[in-house]
Amino acid sequence: MNKPLNPVTVTLSAEDAADLQARVERGEFASLDEGVAAELAELNYRRAAEIVGGSEKLEALLDRLEADDDPSADVDAEDFFKELRAGLKERLTSSRE
């Protein structure tokens, strides 16, 4: 399912913008939009890894989910979401300090 794209403005520091532009010019990304999207995807991956206890645990979870016909049988949803909410609440609290 593709959702319609809504334009979003992102403000970067001059240093970050120059770094991203240089990466586009080197061919690492086809455009600034692609570069920003890739960096956001990386940030989401790191956040997910932090939530589940590290990148190895995240990769193991993703492997299990991809391999199983019914991944819901392996995950206790109530405990999973309880831990997820607790981790997000902790991060929110620490970001406000």
Side-chain angles (χ1 to χ4, degrees), residues 27-58:
E28 191 173 332
F29 303 114
S31 67
L32 288 173
D33 290 341
E34 181 183 298
V36 170
E39 291 301 315
L40 288 173
E42 176 65 24
L43 175 62
N44 284 332
Y45 178 87
R46 288 193 312 256
R47 290 169 63 193
E50 183 180 314
I51 289 168
V52 299
S55 60
E56 289 179 6
K57 287 184 179 182
L58 177 59

Side-chain angles (χ1 to χ4, degrees), residues 10-25:
V10 177
T11 303
L12 302 174
S13 69
E15 183 179 294
D16 288 340
D19 177 61
L20 188 56
Q21 182 63 45
R23 293 170 73 186
V24 170
E25 290 169 2

Side-chain angles (χ1 to χ4, degrees), residues 40-94:
L40 288 173
E42 176 65 24
L43 175 62
N44 284 332
Y45 178 87
R46 288 193 312 256
R47 290 169 63 193
E50 183 180 314
I51 289 168
V52 299
S55 60
E56 289 179 6
K57 287 184 179 182
L58 177 59
E59 291 298 327
L61 175 62
L62 293 173
D63 288 344
R64 271 199 332 263
L65 292 173
E66 289 176 359
D68 292 341
D69 291 335
D70 183 13
S72 64
D74 291 339
V75 178
D76 181 348
E78 188 173 326
D79 288 342
F80 175 80
F81 285 111
K82 182 178 178 181
E83 290 177 29
L84 180 63
R85 284 191 306 272
L88 291 172
K89 187 181 280 188
E90 180 181 317
R91 287 180 43 192
L92 178 63
T93 301
S94 66

